[in-house]
Amino acid sequence: MTQDAFDAALDPADWAAMRAIFHAAADDGLAHLAQARARPVWTRPPDAARAALAEPVPQAGQPVAAIYDTFKTHILPYGTGNVHPAFFGWALGAGTAEGVLGEMLAAFMNCNLGGWDQIAADLERQVIDWCRQMTGFPAGSSGLLTSGTSLGTLIALAVAREAATAGEIGEYGVAAAGSGLVGYASTEAHGCFAKAFATLGLGRAHLRRVPVDADHRLDCAALEAMIAADRARGLRPFCAIATCGTINTGAIDDLARVADICARARLWFHVDAAFGVGALLTAAHRARAAPLARADSIAFDFHKWFQVPYDAGIVLIRDAAAHRAAFAAPADYLAPAARGLAAGAPWFCDYGPELSRSFRALKIWFTFKAHGLSGLSAMIEKNCRQAQFLADLIAANAPRLALLAPVNLNIVCFRYVPADGSDADALNAEIVADLQEQGIAAPSLTTLSGRTAIRVCLVNHRTRAADLERLVEATLALGAAREAAARA
Ligand SMILES: *Cc1c(COP(=O)(O)O)cnc(C)c1O
């Protein structure tokens, strides 16, 4: 081997040329945000783009300028569309320029947040502490930044499971610890709980689904009765889950009452506040959300209502020792040191399943410092007012439009009602697909009490009143056109 080959690296041969590509990329990326409104909300990736990307693993390297061109032509225009002001589906945040800056700079530093004595770990601790302050979780509670609420949920329920069995399942497995652990969540709880129960070996069937009241909130009396019935059967109830902001309708369970029930029954109390944590930043909804401070664990997202670019969530656990006990896995090659790079204990890798972890704190830190809680709360309050505004528009267009659930927070579920009494479920599914495919707006669909609903979840800081007016006009026009076509 030549000396040149020994000393080769992957750095650019021409840093100036690389700088030019970065500058162009920053310009294109910022234009993508600044001009989002001028584009269709969503464009299905065309066959040509898919074909252009399909290739065998590259053997030879290619010039980065050409790769960037491919990105700009075939990738950049065909995302989910959630940076667009008329994206209303599921619960996808819109992101901010400051968040992008944090994401990019984190990649420059290329830190691994599994552990080590590094400033990035201090920044993660700082962000976790901000979350304690926002939620009222005590000093001494522990936390971990995650890819989202699904992973936060998995971690919280793993800790709850270990706490309930004195670590026996972690050590000897589910079979040794005996079966019979059961948990509770409402029928409106997110799908991540069933996934977590399956993944943790508890079994989806052992996640009991508690009925909800007319406002889609967990029925507390039913919860108590179900716990008692399971105990009478010799089962071992170990946790109850409440939701602050359900995915279908934004309902906030009676958190204080579930906390009381858990305290009496000695159950782990987990709160899913994925986007609903934002309620803490509103005058109108703060009181209903505040009792989440009584939970044993909470998981929520930064990438939804806090507008941090994907992905970023957090889990907070009241009992830090229990949190660590569930995940700490001593290893010779990771032994902590008193000084040097291997100092900085405790390490984040002892609080979750992952060793290698990205520097998520930086984009959260940029976003929170740039906008402050006041800026973020102004957007959250705006979205809540917009939900009421949309509900009023729907009421004004009765009987063609009908609201299908009370507006609790930031979610509006409604539907187009055909004049001739024909199948509204199929019609509304078509309307939503039309809205998306025509690039007008991107609501999503759900089913409420067996009825297909157009679901608008407002976690988008770019949305304006005119976007909602356009959604209503387009829904009426598309519904009428499909009805006319069906009659013809
Ligand atoms: C989005 C969401 C989840 C899942 O969170 P991810 O960050 O997507 O993993 C869980 N619960 C609720 C209520 C949600 O809105």
Side-chain angles (χ1 to χ4, degrees):
M1 203 174 259
T2 65
Q3 189 61 42
D4 276 359
F6 265 136
D7 291 344
L10 296 178
D11 283 325
D14 181 350
W15 283 100
M18 185 60 97
R19 245 194 321 269
I21 289 173
F22 265 79
H23 291 159
D27 287 342
D28 292 340
L30 289 171
H32 182 74
L33 296 185
Q35 291 152 27
R37 182 173 287 283
R39 294 190 304 269
V41 179
W42 174 75
T43 306
R44 181 185 165 275
D47 295 343
R50 292 194 153 126
L53 299 178
E55 60 174 335
V57 59
Q59 295 298 332
Q62 296 156 22
V64 68
I67 304 169
Y68 180 71
D69 280 345
T70 303
F71 165 79
K72 196 174 163 181
T73 310
H74 295 303
I75 299 175
L76 182 61
Y78 308 118
T80 31
N82 48 315
V83 301
H84 192 284
F87 190 98
F88 311 127
W90 302 275
L92 272 59
T96 66
E98 295 84 1
V100 174
L101 192 57
E103 180 80 321
M104 182 183 72
L105 297 175
F108 278 120
M109 286 181 75
N110 196 22
C111 301
N112 184 337
L113 269 289
W116 296 281
D117 191 1
Q118 56 175 326
I119 201 71
D122 291 75
L123 210 65
E124 179 156 347
R125 287 186 199 104
Q126 174 69 79
V127 165
I128 292 166
D129 199 52
W130 288 348
C131 291
R132 285 192 196 98
Q133 292 171 32
M134 277 196 302
T135 58
F137 250 51
S141 57
S142 64
L144 189 74
L145 296 184
T146 63
S147 55
T149 295
S150 297
L151 187 67
T153 296
L154 186 75
I155 291 171
L157 294 184
V159 178
R161 186 194 70 174
E162 291 310 284
T165 61
E168 233 188 291
I169 292 187
E171 198 60 29
Y172 303 109
V174 181
S179 57
L181 288 178
V182 287
Y184 306 86
S186 88
T187 50
E188 290 292 306
H190 193 268
C192 68
F193 293 101
K195 257 194 200 178
F197 266 62
T199 308
L200 292 168
L202 298 168
R204 278 184 287 268
H206 296 124
L207 175 64
R208 302 285 198 243
R209 304 312 292 260
V210 184
V212 292
D213 64 19
D215 283 338
H216 302 267
R217 292 175 310 182
L218 181 139
D219 177 338
C220 290
L223 170 63
E224 282 200 280
M226 289 166 81
I227 295 169
D230 281 334
R231 283 234 160 94
R233 263 190 232 121
L235 295 168
R236 291 194 286 167
F238 81 105
C239 80
I241 292 145
T243 305
C244 178
T246 59
I247 189 69
N248 271 335
T249 69
I252 300 176
D253 289 339
D254 187 339
L255 303 177
R257 208 164 146 209
V258 180
D260 289 340
I261 292 169
C262 286
R264 274 201 300 278
R266 295 180 313 283
L267 300 194
W268 184 281
F269 174 34
H270 176 81
V271 175
D272 174 0
F275 65 87
V277 64
L280 287 173
L281 301 190
T282 67
H285 307 290
R286 183 181 301 126
R288 290 190 297 147
L292 60 73
R294 293 179 57 191
D296 292 298
S297 54
I298 335 176
F300 62 86
D301 284 319
F302 299 98
H303 54 217
K304 290 178 177 169
W305 232 349
F306 291 140
Q307 311 299 340
V308 173
Y310 281 84
D311 53 18
I314 188 170
V315 60
L316 291 174
I317 310 258
R318 178 175 302 278
D319 182 344
H323 188 181
R324 187 181 169 82
F327 287 103
D332 293 339
Y333 48 87
L334 291 175
R339 61 192 192 88
L341 191 44
W347 283 19
F348 290 117
C349 63
D350 285 334
Y351 293 85
E354 296 167 309
L355 170 56
S356 294
R357 304 174 60 252
S358 70
F359 187 10
R360 291 196 179 94
L362 194 59
K363 60 190 173 184
I364 302 168
W365 184 79
F366 262 97
T367 305
F368 274 59
K369 280 178 75 74
H371 299 287
L373 283 190
S374 65
L376 295 172
S377 94
M379 291 304 109
I380 291 168
E381 297 224 332
K382 176 187 91 164
N383 285 153
C384 292
R385 281 197 306 274
Q386 287 175 330
Q388 294 296 340
F389 173 74
L390 177 57
D392 291 345
L393 286 181
I394 288 159
N397 283 286
R400 270 306 61 72
L401 299 182
L403 208 57
L404 293 193
V407 175
N408 285 295
L409 196 62
N410 61 331
I411 296 180
V412 182
C413 290
F414 71 102
R415 62 147 82 186
Y416 181 89
V417 182
D420 62 2
S422 61
D423 181 2
D425 289 346
L427 177 63
N428 280 278
E430 298 293 349
I431 290 172
V432 164
D434 287 345
L435 287 166
Q436 293 170 356
E437 288 184 349
Q438 293 178 26
I440 299 167
S444 55
L445 280 172
T446 193
T447 303
L448 290 173
S449 313
R451 293 187 296 175
T452 299
I454 301 176
R455 179 177 160 285
V456 172
C457 177
L458 294 159
V459 289
N460 187 329
H461 65 93
R462 297 193 181 99
T463 301
R464 296 179 188 162
D467 297 310
L468 299 170
E469 287 166 345
R470 184 150 181 254
L471 168 72
V472 166
E473 283 158 24
T475 302
L476 288 166
L478 289 165
R482 284 199 168 266
E483 274 195 283
R487 272 196 306 272

